[in-house]
Amino acid sequence: MDMQLRNYTEEAVSLYLDRWFKEADCCHCDLCRMNVTALMLNSLKPKYVVTDKGALYAQLDDFDPQHKIDFMTLMTKSVATVSQNPRH
Ligand SMILES: [Zn+2]
C-alpha cells in the first residue's frame, strides 16, 4: 500500500518556501529557513490527509489565490521575526 498520512499544511509551507523563500529579504541558510517554517506552522492549523505518495504536490497548485496572499503575508512576518532574532 502506497498511502501515507501527511500534514498538508506542512507540505504547502514547504512548497511555498521552495518557490519564494529565496526572494525573502533575509539570510537564506537552512537554519533560518527552518526557523521561518516553524513560525509559520505554529500560526497555521495542521491539516492531516491520507494521500497517495506524490498526489499532494499536484493538489498544491490548486490553492486559492487568497491562500497565496495569506501565505505571503505570513512568510513576510515570520522572516522579519527571524531576521530580528538570528540564532547564529
Ligand atoms: Zn541564516
Side-chain angles (χ1 to χ4, degrees), residues 2 9-10 12 27 29 39 48-50 53 56 61 68 74-75 77:
D2 221 15
T9 305
E10 189 178 334
C27 170
C29 77
L39 282 171
Y48 288 97
V49 292
V50 176
K53 261 189 196 164
L56 212 48
D61 282 332
K68 186 183 163 187
L74 181 59
M75 185 182 82
K77 249 169 62 183

Side-chain angles (χ1 to χ4, degrees), residues 31-49:
L31 180 62
C32 289
R33 179 178 158 141
M34 274 193 282
N35 285 328
V36 168
T37 305
L39 282 171
M40 291 178 71
L41 288 175
N42 285 337
S43 342
L44 294 164
K45 270 198 219 136
K47 184 181 170 194
Y48 288 97
V49 292

Side-chain angles (χ1 to χ4, degrees), residues 65-77:
Q66 184 60 44
H67 283 163
K68 186 183 163 187
I69 293 165
D70 292 348
F71 170 87
M72 296 306 277
T73 306
L74 181 59
M75 185 182 82
T76 303
K77 249 169 62 183

